[in-house]
């Protein structure tokens, strides 16, 4: 452990805790805690959304995936970027116009059913915890490499910090930590990209030519099929990326932090530019790691390639750049996991406890207290699960969460907004089909069961051959919604469709996050 690494590491912690301290003074009610009072501007929320999405999976996982498997790793960059078109055109504006604090609020704007709200909240908890595991795995490996402490202690440290941010600062602290780390990550990636590109004499052709001889894959490095030899698996993987973002609860709740739908739409445009620039840079970082760090060294540091970016910084810029990039990656993880904890705690406190158990008879202060207690519980569960997933690539772990989001949430969001006949029974069956099919097939897949020890959570042959089941589970989500609707006798929800459609497109009756 070097003094420089420790200094930058502590500096990041001090910066984020300072943000939390000042944010805590502005967190006075439930609206402040859940949505930062709806006070973020378009560019601020755009940076925060980008900060949410530029996670450990993006920076560490995608860079490592490109370095180790070449073209197939690039799918993660382009798929994530295309996902924002789905958010922009189909989800962001109606969600902001219909929701209040959580995704379940948006669905409940049409269906006044505790069962619908309960399952929507359960989906939020499951998806957020899956996604959080990926971030904690990245954190554990990163801090172990940076400071030389054990993996379990690294995960515990991040878990404690993320809980502090949520308990004291709520969404205001989470948003500004995300904005700060987005700026640092874009800046650090730009510096590292410039250095890598300079080693190729600022020549794209030279860079592509060089990587064909720099890895054990040889010329196959630039061809598809290194990871996904099955075309169906590859399509399924990309479906997770493109459709998953529109169902990620921690990303969707960011649209409640702005004053209206127009600002929400603008924030998606800002975030698309920020994220687009970042994902372009991951190509240079991945190629640079493959060329100058080397396959064996990357795998030795972490079998899944999660440490490729910090090792590239060490190789290209020495101890200072290594410490800076590692500290920024740590800030990236802290920001994302804080948002995930807050989203999970909000689903429990607002939806399950406040609206279902207490039937809405709960004060804002009581909700915030329950949310803070729930934050501790969510953090404990996520930390325990992360301890068993150390050897898995964080990008692929995140894609699993995206697949569940695409299957369990997106069909219901779209049907709620656009299908007149859709009813509460359809919402329940659609969410249940999508969630259960995703979890069951993931638990039976090679991501969990692998005959090679250490490559999966359990050693053994998988019962489901595909590593990503989204190509089956997304249709199952829609099928569940359709069958539940046409086979049930409930018709009343059709009467509320006109009101929901009108409000989702106009925002009528909604003035701010505090009073709608």
């Amino acid at each position: 452990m070097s003094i420089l690494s420790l200094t930058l590491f502590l500096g990041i912690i001090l910066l984020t805790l300072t943000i939390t301290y000042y944010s805590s003074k502005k967190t006075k009610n439930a609206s402040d805690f859940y949505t930062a009072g709806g006070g973020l501007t378009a560019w601020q929320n755009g940076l925060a959304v980008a900060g949410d999405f530029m996670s450990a999976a993006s920076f560490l996982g995608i860079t490592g995936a490109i370095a180790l498997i070449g073209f197939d790793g690039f799918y993660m960059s382009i798929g994530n970027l295309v996902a924002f078109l789905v958010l922009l055109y189909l989800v962001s504006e109606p969600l902001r116009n219909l929701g209040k604090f959580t995704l379940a609020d948006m669905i409940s704007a049409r269906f006044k059913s505790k069962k619908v709200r309960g399952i929507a909240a359960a989906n939020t908890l499951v998806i957020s915890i899956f996604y959080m595991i990926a971030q904690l795995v990245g954190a554990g490996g990163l801090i172990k490499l940076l400071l030389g402490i054990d993996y379990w202690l690294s995960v515990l440290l991040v878990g404690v910090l993320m809980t502090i941010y949520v308990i004291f600062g709520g969404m205001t602290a989470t948003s500004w930590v995300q904005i700060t780390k987005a700026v640092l990550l874009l800046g650090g990636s730009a510096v590292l990209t410039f250095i890598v590109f300079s080693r190729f004499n600022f020549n794209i052709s030279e860079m592509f030519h060089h990587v064909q001889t720099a890895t054990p894959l040889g010329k196959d490095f630039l061809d598809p099929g290194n990871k996904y030899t099955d075309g169906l698996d590859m399509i399924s993987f990309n479906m997770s990326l493109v459709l998953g973002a529109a169902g990620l609860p921690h990303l969707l709740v960011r649209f409640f932090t702005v004053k209206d739908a127009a600002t929400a739409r603008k924030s998606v445009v800002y975030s698309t530019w920020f994220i687009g620039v970042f994902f372009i840079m991951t190509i240079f970082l991945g190629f640079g790691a493959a060329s100058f760090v080397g396959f064996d060294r990357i795998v030795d540091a972490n079998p899944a390639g999660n440490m490729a970016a910090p090792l590239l910084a060490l190789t290209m810029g020495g101890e200072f750049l290594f410490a800076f990039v590692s500290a920024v990656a740590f800030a990236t993880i802290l920001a994302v996991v804080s948002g995930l904890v807050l989203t999970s705690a909000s689903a429990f406190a607002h939806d399950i406890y406040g609206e279902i158990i207490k039937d809405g008879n709960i004060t804002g202060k009581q909700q915030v207290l329950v949310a803070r207690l729930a934050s501790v519980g969510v953090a404990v569960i996520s930390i325990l699960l992360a301890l068993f997933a150390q050897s898995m690539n964080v990008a692929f772990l995140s894609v699993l969460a995206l697949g569940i989001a695409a299957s369990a949430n997106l069909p219901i969001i779209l049907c709620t907004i656009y299908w007149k006949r859709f009813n509460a029974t359809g919402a329940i069956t659609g969410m249940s089909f999508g969630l259960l099919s995703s979890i069951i097939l993931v638990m039976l897949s090679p991501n969990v069961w692998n005959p090679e020890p250490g490559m999966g959570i359990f050693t053994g042959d998988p019962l489901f051959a595909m590593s990503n089941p989204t190509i089956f589970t997304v249709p199952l989500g829609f099928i569940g919604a359709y069958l539940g609707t046409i086979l049930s006798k409930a018709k009343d929800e059709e009467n509320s469709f006109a009101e929901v459609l009108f409000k989702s497109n106009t925002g009528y009756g909604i003035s701010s996050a505090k009073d709608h």
Side-chain angles (χ1 to χ4, degrees), residues 454-474:
M455 296 306 294
I457 297 176
F458 302 109
T459 301
D461 294 323
L463 297 179
F464 180 73
M466 292 177 61
S467 60
N468 193 297
T470 308
I471 196 170
F472 298 108
T473 56
V474 169

Side-chain angles (χ1 to χ4, degrees), residues 404 433-445 464 469 473:
I404 298 174
F433 273 42
L435 178 65
L436 294 176
S437 63
S438 296
I439 292 176
I440 291 171
L441 291 181
V442 165
M443 294 304 294
L444 299 177
S445 74
F464 180 73
T473 56

Side-chain angles (χ1 to χ4, degrees), residues 18-288:
T18 301
I19 292 172
T20 302
Y21 172 74
Y22 285 105
S23 298
S24 66
K25 295 183 177 181
K26 298 180 180 180
T27 305
K28 300 176 181 178
N29 53 46
S31 177
D32 294 334
F33 186 85
Y34 290 135
T35 65
L40 295 185
T41 64
W43 73 265
Q44 288 170 346
N45 195 48
L47 261 178
V49 170
D52 246 335
F53 216 66
M54 294 186 303
S55 60
S58 301
F59 184 55
L60 301 178
I62 295 179
T63 300
I66 292 176
L68 296 183
I69 61 176
F71 188 92
D72 283 7
F74 175 66
Y75 281 135
M76 288 181 242
S77 290
I78 195 65
N80 282 324
L81 185 57
V82 174
F84 275 78
L85 296 178
V86 180
L87 265 178
L88 177 62
Y89 289 111
L90 295 178
V91 175
S92 61
E93 186 171 349
L95 180 79
R96 177 61 188 85
N97 282 337
L98 295 174
K100 184 180 181 182
F101 293 148
T102 65
L103 176 60
D105 278 339
M106 177 264 187
I107 300 171
S108 297
R110 182 171 176 184
F111 308 116
K112 312 301 180 184
S113 165
K114 288 187 177 181
K115 290 182 180 179
V116 171
R117 184 181 287 274
I119 295 177
N123 282 351
T124 295
L125 289 168
V126 171
I127 294 165
S128 298
I129 288 174
F130 259 88
Y131 205 81
M132 205 181 314
I133 293 170
Q135 311 308 315
L136 292 174
V137 169
L142 178 68
I143 300 173
K144 181 180 179 181
L145 181 66
L146 179 64
L147 301 180
I149 60 178
D150 291 340
Y151 173 83
W152 70 269
L153 190 58
S154 304
V155 171
L156 184 62
L157 175 63
V158 175
V160 170
L161 286 171
M162 71 187 184
T163 308
I164 290 173
Y165 300 151
V166 174
I167 288 176
F168 294 104
M171 180 58 85
T172 303
T174 299
S175 297
W176 281 102
V177 168
Q178 286 165 340
I179 291 169
T180 302
K181 77 93 175 183
V183 172
L184 290 173
L185 183 58
L186 286 168
S189 298
V191 170
L192 194 51
T193 296
F194 179 83
I195 295 173
V196 169
F197 201 26
S198 69
R199 294 289 294 269
F200 292 112
N201 300 313
F202 301 102
N203 189 316
I204 293 285
S205 298
E206 182 178 333
M207 181 175 72
F208 274 80
H209 178 74
H210 184 270
V211 293
Q212 294 183 59
T213 59
T215 76
L217 294 174
K219 293 184 178 180
D220 292 338
F221 184 84
L222 297 179
D223 296 329
N226 297 317
K227 169 69 176 179
Y228 292 103
T229 55
D230 184 344
L232 200 63
D233 210 356
M234 183 270 292
I235 294 172
S236 184
F237 174 77
N238 280 281
M239 282 182 65
S240 295
L241 296 172
V242 173
L243 301 178
L248 280 178
H250 76 284
L251 198 62
L252 296 178
V253 298
R254 294 233 53 88
F255 298 116
F256 302 141
T257 64
V258 296
K259 63 180 180 178
D260 53 33
T263 309
R265 191 168 57 248
K266 290 177 184 176
S267 67
V268 178
V269 176
Y270 277 112
S271 61
T272 303
W273 279 104
F274 293 134
I275 292 167
V277 170
F278 172 75
F279 281 140
I280 289 173
M281 290 191 289
T282 61
I283 301 172
F284 292 87
L285 301 182
F287 281 16

Side-chain angles (χ1 to χ4, degrees), residues 399-430:
V399 170
L400 297 180
L402 287 167
I404 298 174
S407 307
N409 283 346
L410 184 59
I412 308 310
I413 293 172
L414 297 180
C415 289
T416 297
I417 300 169
Y418 301 110
W419 187 17
K420 180 178 180 179
R421 191 178 173 185
F422 192 47
N423 60 31
T425 305
I428 292 169
T429 55

